RNA sequence: GUCUCCUUCGUCUAGCGGUUAGGACACCGGGUUUUCAUCCCGGCAACAGGGGUUCGACUCCCCUAGGAGAUGCCA
């Protein structure tokens, strides 16, 4: 049967690279097997609920190309896919479990629980066996009860994890009687996820490894409900450089932050896919479409992985270089504009994109590389004379090169121009590199620039010659003083 | 504390009893080159430790150590 795999984030914070990798693997597991990818929003924590986070989830999954077959916006036979809209069902399940003796009402308040936790490992099960009299006394007191699952005291629970293999745990080691239904009437994860996975006929659950320890509990709940559980695969964590679970302390980790900096979705997908999965060979580059074809749970790793920004950026550089210049130009627009760099749309910005694409690995690096397009400014002689030359020599070079730069050729014409400049260098007895550096410093105001002829074309002949004249003036003054 | 999971170069990983332990990022050299970069070539660098099993262990088993996670009316 075709698998049904879900991704079930909770809208309590921006979508995180760790979460999104789980989403990717779940998506791929579904696609690779011709199954269905389901998105479900787990918003049962009303205190931490954040509508911005919800929008962020939809927005970024879409941006990455992880389209869900069923879920909010897409609909589906098991709607609604927003958990808070399913609480009536969750409550009914909880009541059923109470009726069948698999769960019970607990009247302990927060203060007591905190005290108990200090000395016990979790809840002390005080309300597990209340007499009807005790119970009605509590009910009359008006305390809103929670419903707790009655974890068996004896025996053990075992299951086969798709990734970890056989996992077995003594029932006495399971979290003692966790809450299923909170006093506000909302289910906890333990109830909601199980009930919804069942209702939505989920066949495979790929989730973070932090859930391994509660997996046996979940199996117990499935059994108590008389339901068939899905297969589980617990994915290893994504860690920061310190080896700890990736979090706020580790710099940018939210998907939207990468996106804002100019990480391409194909790069993030490619990088994340290789963080914990491999095709079994030496391939490094995978498109989403390829991954959909060759992904397999059996090739997932079991150990945690450190998120490496440098490698992500290397992938990103690769994908930037693979972009057609016209498309890169469009992608670059907002970054350049925000930095106050104006380039006419069309040929000029495409030419600029061509210059930048081998020089940036993240889009937001573009302004620094295109800084030569900033306002004209007066440069001191020190910034106009290459190391091996004098001000007088630099002045002569500019003077003689200016006419050659009158009309900037493109294509093959560049070679002719270069030949003439080489000739000039020879005549002046300077190295061609030094001659070029002299022009570079005068026209770009920097010792570092993209290839000069292309840069000058983007700059425009008018500004080019204004800068040449200005620099020449400065150099001549400096030469006289010397 | 208790329970669970994990352990190959600095990082991501390949390896599924016999390999000079392979690749990628990063780093360091070199080449191409008008600077920078791209690109190409080369180099550095790993099986956590100890016991078994076996003719033979990175590969299988056990122990130790280390790391991570869980232990919430958060997910």
């Amino acid at each position: 049967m075709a698998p049904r795999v879900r991704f079930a984030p909770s809208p309590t914070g921006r979508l995180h690279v760790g979460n999104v990798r789980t989403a990717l693997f779940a998506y791929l597991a579904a696609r690779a097997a011709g199954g269905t990818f389901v998105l479900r929003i787990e918003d049962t924590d009303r205190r931490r609920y954040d509508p911005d986070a919800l929008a962020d989830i939809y927005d970024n999954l879409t941006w990455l190309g992880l389209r869900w077959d069923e879920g909010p916006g897409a609909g589906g036979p098991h709607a609604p896919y927003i958990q808070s809209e399913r609480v009536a069902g969750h409550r009914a399940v909880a009541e059923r479990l109470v009726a069948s003796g698999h769960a019970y009402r607990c009247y302990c308040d927060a203060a007591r629980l905190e005290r108990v936790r200090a000395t016990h490992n979790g809840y002390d099960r005080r309300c597990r066996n209340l007499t009807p009299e005790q119970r009605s006394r509590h009910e009359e007191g008006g305390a809103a009860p929670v419903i707790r699952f009655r974890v068996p005291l004896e025996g053990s629970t075992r299951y086969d994890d798709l990734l970890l293999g056989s996992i077995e745990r003594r029932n006495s080691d399971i979290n003692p009687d966790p809450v299923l239904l909170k006093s506000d009437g909302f289910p906890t994860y333990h109830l909601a996820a199980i009930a919804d996975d069942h209702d939505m006929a989920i066949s495979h659950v790929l989730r973070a490894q932090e859930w391994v320890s509660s997996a046996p509990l979940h199996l117990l709940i499935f059994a108590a409900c008389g339901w068939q559980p899905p297969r589980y695969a617990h994915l290893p964590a994504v860690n920061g450089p310190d080896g700890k679970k990736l979090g706020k302390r580790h710099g940018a980790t939210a998907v939207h932050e990468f996106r804002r900096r100019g990480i391409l979705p194909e790069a993030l997908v490619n990088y994340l896919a290789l963080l914990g999965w491999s095709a079994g060979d030496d391939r490094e580059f995978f498109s989403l479409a390829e991954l959909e074809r060759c992904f397999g749970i059996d090739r997932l790793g079991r150990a945690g992985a450190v998120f490496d920004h440098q490698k992500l950026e290397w992938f990103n550089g690769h994908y930037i270089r693979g972009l057609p210049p016209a498309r890169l130009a469009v992608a670059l627009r907002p970054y350049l504009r925000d930095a106050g760099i104006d380039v006419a749309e069309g040929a000029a910005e495409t030419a600029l994109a061509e210059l930048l694409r081998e020089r940036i690995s993240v889009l937001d690096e573009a302004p620094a590389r295109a800084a030569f397009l900033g306002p004209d400014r007066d440069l001191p002689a020190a910034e106009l004379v290459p190391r091996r030359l004098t001000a007088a020599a630099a002045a002569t070079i500019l003077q003689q090169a200016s006419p050659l730069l009158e009309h900037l050729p493109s294509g093959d014409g560049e070679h002719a121009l270069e030949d003439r400049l080489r000739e000039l260098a020879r005549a002046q007895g300077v190295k061609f590199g030094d001659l070029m550096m002299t022009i570079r410093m005068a026209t770009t105001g920097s010792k570092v620039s993209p290839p000069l002829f292309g840069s000058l074309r983007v700059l425009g002949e008018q500004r080019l010659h204004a800068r040449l004249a200005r620099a020449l003036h400065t150099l001549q003054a400096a030469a006289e003083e010397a």
Side-chain angles (χ1 to χ4, degrees), chain A residues 111-272:
Chain A
R112 192 183 108 76
L113 291 176
E114 200 172 330
R115 252 180 289 126
V116 168
R117 222 173 290 131
T119 52
H120 285 68
N121 204 343
Y123 182 51
D124 65 356
R125 292 171 157 140
R126 180 203 243 218
C127 296
R128 184 171 165 118
N129 294 307
L130 291 182
T131 63
E133 293 73 39
Q134 290 171 309
R135 205 156 36 233
S136 50
R137 220 178 1 261
H138 277 118
E139 294 287 350
E140 282 158 25
V146 300
I147 292 179
R148 288 183 183 273
F149 185 70
R150 194 187 299 270
V151 175
L153 272 15
E154 309 278 313
S156 63
T157 304
R158 195 199 75 83
Y159 79 101
D160 284 306
D161 194 281
L162 259 13
L163 213 60
L164 273 15
S166 176
I167 301 281
E168 182 162 10
R169 213 176 174 195
R170 284 189 304 273
N171 292 150
S172 57
D173 287 328
I174 290 176
N175 185 6
D177 299 3
V179 171
L180 297 179
L181 197 71
K182 300 182 258 187
S183 57
D184 66 359
F186 276 76
T188 61
Y189 175 88
H190 300 306
L191 206 213
I194 271 63
D196 290 347
D197 282 343
H198 172 259
D199 288 348
M200 295 179 181
I202 298 304
S203 66
H204 294 75
V205 171
L206 277 73
R207 54 164 28 169
Q209 193 200 47
E210 62 196 271
W211 293 109
V212 186
S213 51
S214 40
L217 167 70
H218 297 160
L219 271 303
L220 252 15
I221 297 174
F222 270 104
C225 291
W227 296 334
Q228 167 101 36
R231 304 298 307 277
Y232 285 100
H234 288 94
L235 306 171
V238 178
N239 301 321
D242 58 357
K244 296 213 182 8
K245 216 172 85 177
L246 204 59
K248 294 161 194 65
R249 298 273 172 206
H250 297 107
T253 56
V255 174
H256 81 98
E257 293 173 292
F258 289 102
R259 187 177 173 181
R260 191 186 52 212
R261 286 178 48 218
I263 295 290
L264 270 24
E266 48 269 55
L268 191 53
V269 163
N270 197 152
Y271 174 70
L272 251 21

Side-chain angles (χ1 to χ4, degrees), chain A residues 13-16 51-62 254-257 259:
Chain A
R14 302 297 205 115
L15 195 63
H16 188 270
D52 291 340
L54 184 60
D56 186 77
I57 290 167
Y58 298 148
D59 188 33
N60 286 306
L61 288 180
T62 303
V255 174
H256 81 98
E257 293 173 292
R259 187 177 173 181

Side-chain angles (χ1 to χ4, degrees), chain A residues 185-474:
Chain A
F186 276 76
T188 61
Y189 175 88
H190 300 306
L191 206 213
I194 271 63
D196 290 347
D197 282 343
H198 172 259
D199 288 348
M200 295 179 181
I202 298 304
S203 66
H204 294 75
V205 171
L206 277 73
R207 54 164 28 169
Q209 193 200 47
E210 62 196 271
W211 293 109
V212 186
S213 51
S214 40
L217 167 70
H218 297 160
L219 271 303
L220 252 15
I221 297 174
F222 270 104
C225 291
W227 296 334
Q228 167 101 36
R231 304 298 307 277
Y232 285 100
H234 288 94
L235 306 171
V238 178
N239 301 321
D242 58 357
K244 296 213 182 8
K245 216 172 85 177
L246 204 59
K248 294 161 194 65
R249 298 273 172 206
H250 297 107
T253 56
V255 174
H256 81 98
E257 293 173 292
F258 289 102
R259 187 177 173 181
R260 191 186 52 212
R261 286 178 48 218
I263 295 290
L264 270 24
E266 48 269 55
L268 191 53
V269 163
N270 197 152
Y271 174 70
L272 251 21
L274 261 24
L275 202 62
W277 176 85
S278 88
D281 52 32
D282 291 337
R283 276 183 295 169
E284 295 285 335
F285 300 113
F286 294 89
S287 66
L288 224 211
E290 281 177 272
L291 290 167
E292 288 177 23
R293 254 178 281 122
C294 64
F295 180 81
I297 290 179
D298 55 316
R299 296 216 50 87
L300 281 170
R302 273 162 291 270
V306 174
F307 189 89
D308 182 354
H309 287 262
Q310 278 186 310
K311 190 154 187 182
L312 202 214
E313 292 183 11
W314 173 77
F315 272 113
N316 206 53
H318 169 83
Y319 283 104
I320 283 176
R321 272 168 252 133
L323 238 37
R327 274 190 54 201
L328 177 58
V330 174
L332 250 19
R333 263 180 215 160
Y335 297 92
L336 263 11
R337 192 195 52 224
D338 288 354
I341 294 171
D342 267 319
V343 182
E345 290 185 13
E349 67 173 359
T350 301
L352 178 61
E354 249 166 305
L355 294 175
L356 297 183
R357 70 178 183 159
E358 286 173 357
R359 293 173 178 75
I360 56 174
S361 51
V362 187
L363 260 26
D364 73 354
E365 291 168 354
R369 292 303 197 147
F372 68 93
L373 293 170
D376 297 354
R377 55 197 179 92
D378 267 316
L379 299 163
E383 286 181 44
L384 289 167
V385 185
R387 182 172 299 282
R388 280 188 292 265
L389 300 186
T390 62
T396 305
I397 287 168
L398 288 189
Q399 200 161 29
Q400 303 207 10
S402 285
L404 301 178
L405 299 170
E406 203 59 55
H407 297 292
L408 290 171
S410 57
D412 287 345
E414 250 180 34
H415 295 297
L417 173 58
E418 183 178 327
D419 287 343
R420 261 170 288 159
L421 289 171
R422 280 187 187 281
E423 234 168 85
L424 174 59
R426 213 162 19 244
Q428 292 298 314
V430 300
K431 292 189 169 184
F432 178 63
D434 288 334
L435 175 139
M436 290 296 280
M437 186 55 82
T438 306
I439 303 172
R440 170 174 290 110
M441 292 168 85
T443 57
T444 69
S446 171
K447 283 187 280 198
V448 178
S449 81
L452 198 49
F453 298 148
S455 299
L456 298 182
R457 265 202 311 281
V458 176
L459 183 65
E461 288 179 4
Q462 202 174 339
R463 295 181 73 191
L464 159 61
H465 289 287
R467 288 184 181 186
L468 282 174
R470 208 152 159 174
L472 182 57
H473 187 79
T474 303

